[in-house]
Structures are given as structure tokens and as C-alpha cells.
Amino acid sequence: MKLVLSLALLIALGESAQGQPAKTWKGFITDTHCGTHCQRTSTMRPDLHCVRLCVKRGSKYGLWVDDKVYEIEPQAKASHFAAEEVTVTGQMTGDVIHIASIHAAH
């Protein structure tokens, strides 16, 4: 009986999260520690070395959009795009974007 109730609760929680419409953001993959300050001097893009170093030291990957950095999950999907401009589709919970899809911006 506990298993059935647990499964019903998980399904209900999943449906409420899935009920939110997906949103799309375009921005740069940076890190949550340096955020918008970790950028190349010649461009307004994040510096790859800085982003990777900060993540290696414990920071998380984030999406830099309109002077704000949002944490993104799952981190593994973002790691392939460090310091690149991307388009992310997903859902936001608080200040965390949950990635449904991510690809290089064109």
C-alpha cells in the first residue's frame, strides 16, 4: 500500500511540473561564482578557462541571460557548452533552469 501511495505522489508531482509550459532562453554558459564577471576582455563572452576553473573549484554551470545568471540542471548537459552561446529550452523552478534541450545558438 505504501508503494502505491508513493508512486501516486511521484506521478502527481511529475504532472504538476510537466504542466508548466516550456520556455526558451538564449545566453552564454558561464559559472555561478563569477557569472558575468568571468569574460574575455575583447568580447562580452565568458572566458572558457575561467569558467572551467571555477567549476573545477566547486562552482556550478549557469546560463547568463540579460545580466543575470541562472543555475542550470543537469550540469552534465551544460558542461559541453562552457563559454558558448546557447539556446536552452526547459522549465524554471525558482532560479534554476531544468534543461529539456540545449544547443549552440546560431
Side-chain angles (χ1 to χ4, degrees):
M1 184 66 177
K2 286 183 182 181
L3 178 61
V4 172
L5 290 174
S6 295
L7 287 173
L9 179 61
L10 286 173
I11 290 170
L13 289 173
E15 287 177 358
S16 66
Q18 290 174 350
Q20 297 175 4
K23 186 174 176 185
T24 300
W25 298 268
K26 186 174 181 180
F28 292 95
I29 297 297
T30 187
D31 67 277
T32 56
H33 174 74
C34 290
T36 61
H37 303 291
C38 188
Q39 57 185 267
R40 294 184 218 160
T41 55
S42 61
T43 66
M44 293 299 292
R45 301 174 65 101
D47 180 74
L48 177 61
H49 177 73
C50 180
V51 171
R52 292 237 166 110
L53 182 62
C54 288
V55 169
K56 186 176 182 178
R57 291 181 176 168
S59 185
K60 293 190 174 223
Y61 287 106
L63 183 66
W64 173 10
V65 179
D66 298 329
D67 295 325
K68 182 166 171 85
V69 177
Y70 299 92
E71 184 180 328
I72 48 181
E73 291 294 338
Q75 291 281 292
K77 285 186 178 182
S79 67
H80 303 291
F81 297 97
E84 291 185 31
E85 188 173 20
V86 296
T87 301
V88 174
T89 300
Q91 297 176 336
M92 187 179 297
T93 305
D95 280 344
V96 179
I97 296 173
H98 300 277
I99 301 170
S101 69
I102 182 171
H103 56 84
H106 299 288

